[in-house]
Amino acid sequence: MACRTRDLPHYPPGLQAMADNTSSLMANSIRALAMDAVQQANSGHPGAPMGMADIAVALWGQHLKHSPQNPNWFDRDRFVLSNGHGSMLIYALLHLTGYALSMQELKNFRQLHSQTPGHPEFGYTAGVETTTGPLGQGLSNAVGMALAEKLMAKEFNRDEHKVVDHHTYVFMGDGCLMEGISHEASALAGAWKLNKLIALYDDNGISIDGQVAPWFVDNTPLRFAAYGWNVIGPIDGHDVDAVSRAIADAKNSADKPTLIVCKTHIGQGSPNRANTAKAHGEPLGAEEIKLTREALGWPYAPFEIPQESYEAWDAKAQGLALETDWDAKFAAYQLAYPELAAEFVRRMKGELPKAFAQIAVDTVVGAHTKYETVASRKASQLALEAFTAGLPEMLGGSADLTGSNLTNTKSTPSLRFDLAGEVVQTETADGSKIGGRHINYGVREFGMAAIMNGIALHGGYIPYGGTFLTFSDYSRNAIRMAALMKLRVVHVFTHDSIGLGEDGPTHQSIEHAASLRLIPNLDVWRPGDTAETAVAWAVALQNKNKPTALLLSRQNLPYAPKNDLGEISKGAYVLAEPAEVGLNKKAQAVIIATGSEVQLALKAQELLATTYKIAVRVVSMPSTTTFDKQKTAYKTEVLPEGLPRIAVEMGVTDGWWKYGCAAVVGIDTYGESAPAPVLFKHFGFTPENVADTVRKVLKK
């Protein structure tokens, strides 16, 4: 039928009527499933799926390149439902087009352990490309996906072999555009000329509080035109052919992403709820559903879809044909460029190079041997020099703080695009040319974090990006989403304490380390020297199913001598026993320290030994999140039972009490503006105060 073709033919009147009827049937199938599932769950958002049903017919029925029987086929188009509250839209589409999502799962909408949760969840429902719900982040993920596609195409395609060639589509609503992250990400999409990014805006003028006009007065088309986007519309979002033509035009854009403004009616088809806030986030109700069925001419029972609709929607055969065609192209590519093809497969599988283990060992041992006194942010850059040279998939960046975060290396030239939208190539020392691998995100922490999530979701790259630790607050929800989705994303957070000095409390991180450690599935490292920093990077790169936050100092940190490097990766280890400061007796207490405070602990240990003959073990704990996952035997070996424990960290104290500490030397207030040494003395981060704290504990 007409709705399965991609050539958009013009039909004679009789056939056009058949095509229109088929489109109507397909759209109404979505509307019926949405209102029935929400009603049965007594929870959900029927309005967006009902209002966007015709847009979905145009995209999924006539343009989207996908394979329901292989949802992870590489060269599929990516589809993101940024307005994730309308999750029944994507669930209906996945079911109707042939994905492994049964009608029973639709009936179990929003129920425990169903594959149809309240918002789309990545890794949980086949065909869902990203977890959405926090508005604006889906759009931002899509920007990251489109960037990854563009960079992978430049890196791997050859003139006669285009193995990376797909679009990224995103559905979004007013809420996505009201969230500030939409500005951050959309501005970057325009700057990067992501011509294969196509966003369809559900412009229905309704949100939870009612008509948005009193509080959302943006001229959205002009806003996106100012970003450098191609803007189409407003068009009638209920005219399938008009939407399809707009998508076809958007696909022809050579140097700009496209926004298609679709005017729609929320809850389309509902006689009394359409165009009202009540259609947004609550069931229509049994009586209104009955009236809607009558208005739509839908004679079927709840969750009943006619076979004719299934046949019109079925994308399995077409998807298999598309996939088979690509497989043939890739087979030819493998013959022509076997090494390049092998690298492509490795990258898309997310596997590290075979040489990675040796690179990691050499980097850690090199740091140990050189014994350098540098800030841990510099130690991070030193490690990155080795890792970015050996791992071409590492894609770095910084939120306008490159000179402070030190996320750039010799192997990562700045990412730039020419006027035609092509990736600018940089000549390397050996005469070869590579595209940029370090992104200037501008002052856009939240956008950067969400875009990195999109890059990771697409595959082919390991994204990392830097800012100050105190600005992790801007990024936090996207960091949480990375942890929820189990994405390998690395956040480089520098200026990690009051040690940054004169910038004052606005920039001094007090609660941030503890706050990040509370996020499930986020690995947090606060290394104390070059070797610990190199280990932290090695672990982060191996964390295939979790993001990592590296908390790094601005001030220089002396190297802490070590007898063994092997246990650093366990998150905590015995750094110094009493014998190492000339006291041959069993430890009477344990000082636990992290980051820059490790040096403070070592000095306090020496002071206690030489002045008071008190024997203390020093434990360096660069990663509480990693240490907490170790076996009980190891944890007891590092922190023996019966020995009082004193923790030292320039941050809030609450998180340290779980280790059974008798005292914590920390800071539960905000900082002050002054040179770092003055602040250390003012807040009690001195060897003398730590030693006195140990003595007081022992007296008790």
Side-chain angles (χ1 to χ4, degrees), residues 470 497-498 500-501 503-510 512 671-673 679:
T470 191
S497 71
I498 60 173
L500 67 88
D503 275 336
T506 61
H507 284 52
Q508 292 167 5
S509 305
I510 303 300
H512 299 80
E672 298 283 351
S673 287
L679 292 174

Side-chain angles (χ1 to χ4, degrees), residues 315-382:
K316 294 192 295 294
Q318 187 178 53
L320 181 61
L322 290 166
E323 188 181 351
T324 301
D325 180 61
W326 184 84
D327 287 344
K329 290 180 181 179
F330 192 74
Y333 179 72
Q334 285 178 305
L335 287 173
Y337 304 98
E339 292 183 3
L340 204 58
E343 176 70 358
F344 177 86
V345 171
R346 177 190 74 79
R347 295 262 294 269
M348 290 309 301
K349 286 183 176 179
E351 297 174 351
L352 296 175
K354 291 180 179 179
F356 173 78
Q358 192 60 52
I359 294 171
V361 169
D362 291 345
T363 304
V364 175
V365 172
H368 178 64
T369 304
K370 291 178 182 176
Y371 219 78
E372 291 176 288
T373 295
V374 295
S376 54
R377 61 171 176 165
K378 181 61 179 177
S380 170
Q381 188 179 45
L382 294 172

Side-chain angles (χ1 to χ4, degrees), residues 12 43 54 98 118 122 139 141 208 219 292 295 421 476 565 586 601 624 627 654 665:
S43 174
D54 302 299
F122 172 73
L139 169 61
N141 295 163
I208 292 174
N219 187 322
T292 303
R476 185 179 179 86
L565 299 173
K586 289 185 178 180
T624 64
F627 179 68
D654 280 359
V665 179

Side-chain angles (χ1 to χ4, degrees), residues 393-667:
E393 61 263 47
M394 291 184 70
L395 183 62
S398 176
D400 201 46
L401 289 167
T402 301
S404 293
N405 301 149
L406 305 182
T407 46
N408 58 330
T409 70
K410 295 175 183 176
S411 302
T412 57
S414 296
L415 178 64
R416 295 290 184 267
F417 300 90
D418 63 23
L419 294 177
E422 293 294 321
V423 180
V424 174
Q425 300 291 286
T426 300
E427 188 168 330
T428 62
D430 63 4
S432 61
K433 291 186 176 182
I434 61 171
R437 290 173 57 199
H438 189 271
I439 301 170
N440 298 106
Y441 285 98
V443 188
R444 300 183 178 98
E445 280 87 0
F446 194 6
M448 175 178 72
I451 287 170
M452 288 197 297
N453 288 350
I455 293 169
L457 286 161
H458 178 276
Y461 294 101
I462 301 175
Y464 66 94
T467 187
F468 289 173
L469 177 56
T470 191
F471 301 146
S472 64
D473 287 338
Y474 286 131
S475 311
R476 185 179 179 86
N477 199 259
I479 297 171
R480 179 178 184 270
M481 297 303 289
L484 183 66
M485 291 189 277
K486 302 178 181 179
L487 303 180
R488 179 164 46 189
V489 173
V490 184
H491 291 270
V492 179
F493 293 125
T494 67
H495 296 58
D496 70 341
S497 71
I498 60 173
L500 67 88
E502 296 87 343
D503 275 336
T506 61
H507 284 52
Q508 292 167 5
S509 305
I510 303 300
E511 74 277 22
H512 299 80
S515 176
L516 289 170
R517 289 168 183 150
L518 291 174
I519 299 177
N521 201 45
L522 173 66
D523 218 11
V524 181
W525 284 78
R526 190 165 178 253
D529 61 17
T530 52
E532 288 188 0
T533 305
V535 169
W537 263 111
V539 172
L541 292 169
Q542 293 174 86
N543 279 342
K544 191 174 183 179
N545 297 312
K546 67 172 67 173
T548 303
L550 305 180
L551 319 186
L552 308 171
S553 75
R554 178 199 187 196
Q555 72 273 29
N556 286 343
L557 307 178
Y559 188 79
K562 297 170 181 59
N563 295 320
D564 186 4
L565 299 173
E567 293 184 338
I568 299 175
S569 62
K570 294 180 179 179
Y573 62 101
V574 178
L575 177 62
E577 295 283 24
E580 292 169 66
V581 287
L583 200 59
N584 293 312
K585 54 191 287 191
K586 289 185 178 180
Q588 297 164 262
V590 178
I591 301 177
I592 310 168
T594 181
S596 54
E597 290 76 83
V598 170
Q599 289 299 320
L600 185 59
L602 291 172
K603 290 176 182 177
Q605 180 198 38
E606 184 177 8
L607 178 61
L608 286 163
T610 57
T611 304
Y612 303 105
K613 305 304 178 185
I614 295 175
V616 170
R617 167 185 284 188
V618 174
V619 168
S620 176
M621 192 178 288
S623 177
T624 64
T625 55
T626 300
F627 179 68
D628 289 349
K629 291 179 173 59
Q630 302 306 314
K631 294 180 179 179
T632 301
Y634 179 74
K635 290 193 280 189
T636 303
E637 180 185 332
V638 173
L639 301 175
E641 295 180 4
L643 285 186
R645 303 162 188 175
I646 298 89
V648 186
E649 184 172 55
M650 294 183 199
V652 293
T653 60
D654 280 359
W656 290 102
W657 300 110
K658 69 178 179 179
Y659 297 109
C661 293
V664 180
V665 179
I667 174 171

Side-chain angles (χ1 to χ4, degrees), residues 276-335:
T276 71
K278 280 191 170 294
H280 178 90
E282 60 183 71
L284 296 183
E287 181 60 28
E288 185 64 16
I289 288 178
K290 178 176 179 294
L291 294 174
T292 303
R293 277 185 153 77
E294 292 173 357
L296 294 175
W298 189 259
Y300 307 102
F303 297 104
E304 181 184 348
I305 300 297
Q307 185 61 31
E308 184 183 357
S309 180
Y310 277 122
E311 291 173 359
W313 271 117
D314 188 2
K316 294 192 295 294
Q318 187 178 53
L320 181 61
L322 290 166
E323 188 181 351
T324 301
D325 180 61
W326 184 84
D327 287 344
K329 290 180 181 179
F330 192 74
Y333 179 72
Q334 285 178 305
L335 287 173

Side-chain angles (χ1 to χ4, degrees), residues 14-335:
L15 290 179
Q16 184 63 54
M18 290 177 60
D20 292 343
N21 288 337
T22 301
S23 294
S24 179
L25 176 68
M26 294 168 75
N28 287 340
S29 297
I30 293 173
R31 294 185 175 105
L33 288 173
M35 64 184 182
D36 289 342
V38 172
Q39 182 68 22
Q40 178 148 309
N42 196 29
S43 174
H45 302 74
M50 296 176 74
M52 297 192 78
D54 302 299
I55 302 172
V57 171
L59 176 60
W60 282 66
Q62 300 184 12
H63 294 279
L64 193 70
K65 184 172 69 170
H66 64 125
S67 182
Q69 296 170 102
N70 184 7
N72 297 319
W73 165 47
F74 167 71
D75 205 41
R76 68 193 182 278
D77 290 337
R78 272 47 169 189
F79 172 76
V80 175
L81 183 68
S82 189
N83 45 345
H85 55 270
S87 58
M88 267 310 302
L89 176 61
I90 192 169
Y91 297 148
L93 286 166
L94 293 173
H95 170 75
L96 292 166
T97 55
Y99 286 77
L101 192 67
S102 68
M103 182 64 82
Q104 186 58 48
E105 291 294 342
L106 270 59
K107 292 178 180 179
N108 290 337
F109 179 55
R110 290 190 164 221
Q111 304 309 300
L112 184 64
H113 302 317
S114 77
Q115 293 179 43
T116 50
H119 293 84
E121 293 186 25
F122 172 73
Y124 201 68
T125 309
V128 170
E129 301 282 4
T130 180
T131 300
T132 54
L135 292 174
Q137 286 199 58
L139 169 61
S140 305
N141 295 163
V143 172
M145 293 174 184
L147 176 64
E149 190 275 342
K150 187 165 190 169
L151 297 181
M152 288 288 285
K154 185 64 178 179
E155 189 172 352
F156 287 98
N157 285 352
R158 294 297 180 263
D159 289 342
E160 69 280 21
H161 296 280
K162 293 182 69 174
V163 294
V164 183
D165 185 17
H166 52 268
H167 286 79
T168 301
Y169 296 96
V170 55
F171 282 3
M172 61 187 187
D174 291 314
C176 295
L177 295 177
M178 283 187 253
E179 288 286 1
I181 190 174
S182 69
H183 162 70
E184 297 181 29
S186 299
L188 285 167
W192 297 336
K193 303 180 185 296
L194 301 180
N195 61 299
K196 288 188 176 179
L197 173 63
I198 300 173
L200 293 105
Y201 166 34
D202 179 29
D203 185 9
N204 61 43
I206 297 290
S207 70
I208 292 174
D209 284 347
Q211 291 282 346
V212 300
W215 58 83
F216 185 49
V217 297
D218 302 24
N219 187 322
T220 298
L222 287 182
R223 172 185 163 190
F224 276 76
Y227 293 147
W229 285 54
N230 172 41
V231 179
I232 298 175
I235 63 173
D236 181 356
H238 299 299
D239 183 335
V240 172
D241 289 340
V243 176
S244 187
R245 286 193 297 271
I247 295 171
D249 289 344
K251 288 162 72 175
N252 290 325
S253 176
D255 61 350
K256 293 179 180 180
T258 298
L259 174 73
I260 302 174
V261 181
C262 302
K263 287 287 187 181
T264 64
H265 301 287
I266 192 170
Q268 173 77 349
S270 171
N272 300 302
R273 292 289 184 91
N275 301 314
T276 71
K278 280 191 170 294
H280 178 90
E282 60 183 71
L284 296 183
E287 181 60 28
E288 185 64 16
I289 288 178
K290 178 176 179 294
L291 294 174
T292 303
R293 277 185 153 77
E294 292 173 357
L296 294 175
W298 189 259
Y300 307 102
F303 297 104
E304 181 184 348
I305 300 297
Q307 185 61 31
E308 184 183 357
S309 180
Y310 277 122
E311 291 173 359
W313 271 117
D314 188 2
K316 294 192 295 294
Q318 187 178 53
L320 181 61
L322 290 166
E323 188 181 351
T324 301
D325 180 61
W326 184 84
D327 287 344
K329 290 180 181 179
F330 192 74
Y333 179 72
Q334 285 178 305
L335 287 173

